[in-house]
Amino acid sequence: MEDMFFGNSKLTSLDLSSFETGQVTNMMSMFSYCESLAHLNIVHFDFNKVTNIARLFSGCKSLSSLIFTKFNTNNVYRMDSVFEDCAKLKSIDLSTFVTKEKKSNPTVAL
């Protein structure tokens, strides 16, 4: 799903509540630079297998409403700039957002 809606500047509202994402591993820049996107419903997105969400919402300057319930980031290795330049986004429930350090090679000291 990398770059799926990237740069769609005319998109204002999107309901993806019926998308099946249980097998998805890469959501990098999926909504990046959708500058007019104000409301996004991804309530049923399954993030369990996702490893890359870097720049997922980056540049969504109009995004004020973001709905999701399963934002499990346990397997995510890249999550840089996820909400970069989302100035109108007022609040998000990140209670399942895991930011602990992951070691890809347990024999290498970090």
Side-chain angles (χ1 to χ4, degrees):
M1 295 178 109
E2 181 178 344
D3 296 335
M4 185 179 234
F5 299 99
F6 182 91
N8 188 333
S9 60
K10 295 185 184 204
L11 190 62
T12 59
S13 181
L14 194 55
D15 182 355
L16 300 177
S17 59
S18 63
F19 259 39
E20 173 57 49
T21 59
Q23 300 303 313
V24 175
T25 59
N26 187 355
M27 292 186 180
M28 181 177 174
S29 300
M30 187 174 176
F31 303 103
S32 288
Y33 301 100
C34 292
E35 296 175 350
S36 300
L37 184 62
H39 303 284
L40 178 61
N41 183 345
I42 54 173
V43 69
H44 296 297
F45 265 35
D46 183 345
F47 289 88
N48 285 325
K49 292 187 179 182
V50 177
T51 59
N52 187 351
I53 59 170
R55 297 184 299 277
L56 182 60
F57 306 107
S58 180
C60 292
K61 296 177 180 188
S62 301
L63 190 62
S64 62
S65 175
L66 182 58
I67 304 166
F68 50 79
T69 57
K70 299 177 186 177
F71 205 31
N72 178 351
T73 58
N74 282 321
N75 293 314
V76 174
Y77 283 87
R78 282 207 59 198
M79 59 174 65
D80 47 292
S81 304
V82 174
F83 301 105
E84 179 182 39
D85 203 14
C86 293
K88 291 189 178 181
L89 196 55
K90 300 298 180 200
S91 67
I92 311 169
D93 179 3
L94 297 178
S95 60
T96 59
F97 198 85
V98 177
T99 58
K100 68 182 177 187
E101 180 179 330
K102 293 179 178 38
K103 296 180 182 180
S104 59
N105 184 345
T107 62
V108 176
L110 297 177

